[in-house]
Structures are given as structure tokens and as C-alpha cells.
Amino acid sequence: MSADDRELAPIRLEIGDKVIELATTRASQGNHGMVITPLLQQTGLVSLDPGFLNTAACASQITFIDGDAGILRYRGYPIEQLAEHSTFLEVALLLMRGELPAARDLEAFETRIDKHMYLSDDFRQIFSVMPRRAHPMATLGAAVNMMAGFYPESLDSLDPAAVSLATVLMLAKMPTIISYIYRRAQGNALLYPKHGQSYIENFARMTFQLPGERFDAPEVFYRALDTLLILHADHEQNCSTSSVRLIGSAQANLYMSVAGGVSALSGPLHGGANEAVLNMLSHIRDNDIDPKDFMNQVKDRRSGVRLMGFGHRVYKSYDPRAAIVKRQADAVLEALGVKDELLDIAHEVEQVALSDDYFIERRLYPNVDFYTGIIYRAMGFPASMFTPLFALGRLPGWIAQWREMIADPAGKIGRPRQVYVGYPKRDYLPLDQRK
Ligand code: SDX
């Protein structure tokens, strides 16, 4: 039942001879909510919904997705317009405050972020003790958690000033942390942010500048990176955002809530998919596999092979972000003078999938992860850095959703119930009586 002017019919749940009325929460767009709060108390039943396919954990004003129509809006603004006209820091303010900022507010925010991109020498020590071969997402989670140790004045979730400071410190230092993780893996010195350079320029220079050399990238590089971060900025109640909300509902501080989001995002079914896509395309190329043969493996469930970068819990049509990235990929690679046969293979795989009943019947289309890795690779990022880049993009969404949850006066600690299907009561068995 989607949001429309029709009156919401009363919902009555009939259980045997008992009937209970359930209230509803009307959506402004999309699916209305059936409020099941009295269910357990009045019926002794709990709702069981593995993977939460039918369950809303909250009412939110931040992001709207229509999976059938392929619509994504941040605070009502279509992702296509934000990708074309906005900047990552402007989108961050939009997501957190709910409105596009006035020029003076945006400038003040950018100045505040610029001031805090720096990491102390104590903090920088962390990267020197991390295993060089650690996956960047493991190091990222550790570094984000450690922010709680370095900035104790910004930990109180119930103090608006502390939350505002933690927000700025988190957004300002994340690109520096991610650049240091990359530099450490490369064995290169850690660079300092430069006041006056833009957020994206600082991030790219701290990541890629080689000792004794200047780092200059064409404007198309910076614009593409900024746009990719915008496309990843929020996506309503996905796995990692739901993790951030749940951890924050215990009044854990912002840093440790975000670190939980980093952990969830690292999974190959979620943010880790962009790295998995590149590994999949490289496997097809390196083993000279015909994409049609590869797709037959995917369709054979016994193979256990998934088409990474395809499918989505909500989008049952083309992910609007994937469409934007696909359009960008050709232009960015050409502007960077990069020819990547993996892009050709990706196009071929997509064409096979979009004309094959297996994928059509299951409404499997490219998602945001299918093409992004091609662009990141053309920029010079190794596949292992793709998911940290996703985390950087998703950071404002995690923060905005966490702040919306913390500010909810009716908020409670998240504590799902279960349906117990284990042993009934039984007595302890002494060791000599066991088989
Ligand atoms: C992200 O939630 C978000 O918003 C996430 C995200 C965000 O911005 O936060 O959009 C980012 O995580 C994008 C998704 C990245 N993951 C991948 O690309 C990994 C590959 N895709 C999947 O594994 C899968 O599609 C999921 C995890 C994304 C969605 O899984 P669902 O909703 O649980 O769907 P499902 O596993 O129940 O699949 C339904 C059917 C099954 O077939 P049948 O059992 O009905 O025969 O579709 C099949 C699945 O086998 N299927 C796939 C497939 N995805 C689903 N078959 C082959 N390849 C795939 N990728």
C-alpha cells in the first residue's frame, strides 16, 4: 500500500476469536507503517521477519527510495540533481540539517572541516603498528574507534555541542585516516592536509602525492570523486546504517557507532561488493572466460557463484546510482586517458544479464557497486581501497541517521525479540553420565 490520498483502512488482526486493532503511521511517500506495538502484550505473539524484508525499524525524514521506480532522494532532492549540481560537503549538511545550506553556512562548515582534517602525531602512530597486510576496512574500523580515545570532549551523545563537534571531527578526519591507511600499505610517508585546498583535493593529494613530486589531477578527477561520494552518502535503513542506529540506541558515542557501520559495510554482500565486482571482472578476464559461460555458472545455484554488483533488497529496477556511475565511467576514463578492458567486460556482462530470464524474473539489475570500482581503479585506487571509499561516502548518512535516532524523544534502546526453538527445560548431566 503506497502513500496516496486514500484513507488508510483500519487494520484489524484476528487471532482465533480475538481481534486487535493496529494503528498506522502514514508515510509521506512510499509504504505506510502498521504499528505492532501492542502485539506481544495483547496476543503473546512476536513478529518474525528474518532479514527485516517487511519490517521498518523507524520513521525517518532523511532519504526516500522507491525500488520499483528506481527513485532515490535525499531530503526530497533527486539524486540525479544532487549528483549534477551539489558537492559532497553540501550534501552532508543537507542530510544532517534537512535543508540545502545558505552560502555563508556552507562556507563556515567547509572552513570548520578544513581546520580539523589534521591528525596528531600520537594518532598517526596507530598506522605504524597496524599490520601492513591488514584489510583497509579492519584498520579503518580500528582508527574510527580510536577517535573516541583521542577526542573525549566529544563523546556525550546527549550533549548537542559534543555531537556537533564529533560530527565535524568525524567528517574532517575520515579522508585523512583513509589516505594514511593507503600510504601505510604503500610504505609511503603520511602527508599533512593543506589549509585552503578543498576537501577532495586534500584527500587525493594526501593519498597519491609521491615524495618529491607535485600531485595534480584534472578537474574531471576531483568532480568524479566528489560525485561518487555524493552517490554513496545515504541509503535509508541499509545494513550498515541500521547497525549504526542500533549501536547508537544504547547511547554509544558517534565514533563507536560509526565503527560498527564500517564493520557491517565490509561484508561482500554490502559495501564489500565493489571490491568483489572488480575481482569478479578480473577473474573473467584473466581466465579468458566468455561472459555467457560465466553467467551460466551464476545461474547454476550449485556453483555458489554470485553476480557481484547485481541485485538489491530494495531496487527491483536499475539502481539510479548505477545509471549515473555507468554514464560517468566512459567520460572519466577517457578524460584520464585510461582504457580498461574490465569496463568492456562489465558492459558485456550487463547486456547478457539484462536479456536473460533468470535475472529478469528475479528483477536483478546493476546496483551502485557494479561500475564504481572501474572509476576508482582508473583514478589509481587498488580494489582493497574501494570499500573505505564507500565508507567515506556513507559517513554523512550514518551521522545524519544516528543524529535523527538520538534526537527522537520516544527513542528506546534497540532490543529485538526472538522465537525460541531450542530445548525445553532439562537438568544438568554429570560428566560420568554423558556418552
Ligand atoms: C549495497 O541495502 C542497501 O541499500 C545497500 C546499498 C547501500 O547503498 O547501502 O545499496 C549498498 O549493499 C548494494 C548491494 C551490493 N551487494 C552485491 O552486489 C552482492 C550481490 N548481490 C546479492 O548478494 C543480493 O542481491 C543482495 C544481498 C544485494 C540482496 O539480497 P536479497 O534481497 O536477500 O535477495 P536474495 O538473496 O533473497 O535473492 C533473491 C533471488 C535468489 O534466487 P532464488 O533463491 O529466488 O532462486 O535472487 C537471486 C538469489 O539467488 N540473487 C542473485 C543475486 N542476487 C540475488 N543471483 C545471482 N547473483 C546475484 N547477485
Side-chain angles (χ1 to χ4, degrees):
M1 188 181 339
S2 64
D4 54 33
D5 299 335
R6 268 180 304 130
E7 261 315 297
L8 259 180
I11 298 174
R12 276 189 291 281
L13 197 56
E14 196 176 314
I15 301 164
D17 56 1
K18 189 178 178 89
V19 176
I20 64 168
E21 289 244 341
L22 294 177
T24 51
T25 295
R26 172 177 280 282
S28 57
Q29 301 262 297
N31 306 103
H32 300 305
M34 171 175 72
V35 182
I36 60 168
T37 312
L39 186 69
L40 180 56
Q41 189 195 8
Q42 294 190 23
T43 70
L45 292 172
V46 292
S47 64
L48 179 60
D49 186 20
F52 308 115
L53 279 87
N54 307 282
T55 298
C58 62
S60 176
Q61 300 179 41
I62 299 173
T63 291
F64 173 66
I65 300 173
D66 179 329
D68 292 329
I71 289 172
L72 171 59
R73 299 186 194 128
Y74 297 160
R75 299 286 188 174
Y77 294 100
I79 190 65
E80 294 80 5
Q81 295 181 24
L82 293 171
E84 187 178 348
H85 302 298
S86 190
T87 65
F88 179 57
L89 289 183
E90 180 178 80
V91 163
L93 274 183
L94 170 66
L95 287 168
M96 293 186 294
R97 296 185 184 170
E99 299 298 338
L100 286 169
R104 66 181 176 287
D105 294 336
L106 177 58
E107 192 181 339
F109 181 66
E110 287 169 342
T111 304
R112 212 173 158 208
I113 292 286
D114 178 59
K115 191 167 139 249
H116 288 289
M117 289 188 83
Y118 169 84
L119 282 182
S120 68
D121 285 350
D122 279 359
F123 203 133
R124 288 153 63 98
Q125 291 307 317
I126 287 181
F127 302 98
S128 60
V129 297
M130 286 291 172
R132 205 184 284 274
R133 288 179 305 108
H135 191 284
M137 287 298 276
T139 309
L140 180 60
V144 169
N145 255 313
M146 276 319 298
M147 287 191 69
F150 281 96
Y151 310 108
E153 67 283 10
S154 59
L155 300 184
D156 183 350
S157 308
L158 304 181
D159 171 2
V163 169
S164 170
L165 177 58
T167 296
V168 168
L169 295 180
M170 189 76 259
L171 279 166
K173 299 181 189 298
M174 191 72 140
T176 309
I177 288 171
I178 292 173
S179 77
Y180 287 0
I181 291 170
Y182 176 73
R183 303 288 288 195
R184 164 80 180 145
Q186 300 292 311
N188 285 332
L190 307 185
L191 302 181
Y192 288 99
K194 263 187 196 157
H195 292 311
Q197 268 199 331
S198 78
Y199 189 80
I200 292 291
E201 286 167 6
N202 254 313
F203 172 52
R205 179 185 53 78
M206 289 193 286
T207 302
F208 291 118
Q209 184 176 19
L210 293 175
E213 293 183 13
R214 281 177 55 81
F215 174 80
D216 284 316
E219 185 49 34
V220 67
F221 177 105
Y222 298 120
R223 186 65 203 135
L225 189 49
D226 199 61
T227 303
L228 284 166
L229 295 180
I230 290 172
L231 294 175
H232 287 83
D234 193 52
H235 215 236
E236 53 130 293
Q237 307 310 316
N238 58 84
C239 179
S240 54
T241 300
S242 299
S243 304
V244 170
R245 276 181 170 259
L246 189 60
I247 297 167
S249 74
Q251 290 183 11
N253 61 64
L254 177 63
Y255 307 118
M256 299 180 87
S257 302
V258 166
V262 170
S263 298
L265 191 72
S266 69
L269 293 188
H270 190 15
N274 53 17
E275 179 178 359
V277 168
L278 210 89
N279 296 336
M280 174 186 76
L281 296 173
S282 303
H283 169 73
I284 292 170
R285 177 198 59 193
D286 299 345
N287 295 281
D288 200 17
I289 298 170
D290 181 322
K292 289 187 180 63
D293 295 340
F294 179 78
M295 301 299 262
N296 288 332
Q297 280 182 46
V298 170
K299 294 190 291 182
D300 174 3
R301 301 295 300 277
R302 289 163 306 176
S303 75
V305 174
R306 280 226 153 183
L307 184 55
M308 302 312 277
F310 259 69
H312 199 276
R313 174 63 55 76
V314 179
Y315 289 123
K316 299 308 175 191
S317 59
Y318 215 106
D319 182 332
R321 303 166 296 176
I324 296 169
V325 177
K326 180 183 178 185
R327 281 197 300 274
Q328 267 208 341
D330 292 318
V332 171
L333 266 66
E334 189 186 338
L336 296 178
V338 172
K339 181 89 184 80
D340 189 347
E341 60 184 320
L342 296 188
L343 181 57
D344 303 331
I345 295 172
H347 283 319
E348 228 181 307
V349 163
E350 177 187 347
Q351 282 319 307
V352 173
L354 297 185
S355 55
D356 185 300
D357 286 345
Y358 176 93
F359 298 90
I360 295 168
E361 284 158 11
R362 291 168 178 78
R363 303 176 75 188
L364 302 176
Y365 293 87
N367 59 51
V368 68
D369 292 310
F370 191 61
Y371 285 105
T372 40
I374 303 273
I375 297 184
Y376 289 145
R377 188 167 117 109
M379 290 175 168
F381 292 103
S384 61
M385 292 302 294
F386 292 177
T387 311
L389 288 165
F390 192 146
L392 177 57
R394 186 51 50 87
L395 186 57
W398 284 336
I399 295 173
Q401 298 273 352
W402 183 91
R403 288 172 62 142
E404 185 179 64
M405 177 274 304
I406 282 284
D408 179 357
K412 288 181 173 305
I413 185 170
R415 202 275 184 221
R417 305 306 291 262
Q418 64 167 17
V419 174
Y420 177 70
V421 292
Y423 283 106
K425 179 180 176 300
R426 54 182 179 158
D427 294 326
Y428 181 78
L429 206 59
L431 204 54
D432 59 4
Q433 292 178 32
R434 295 173 209 163
K435 293 184 183 63

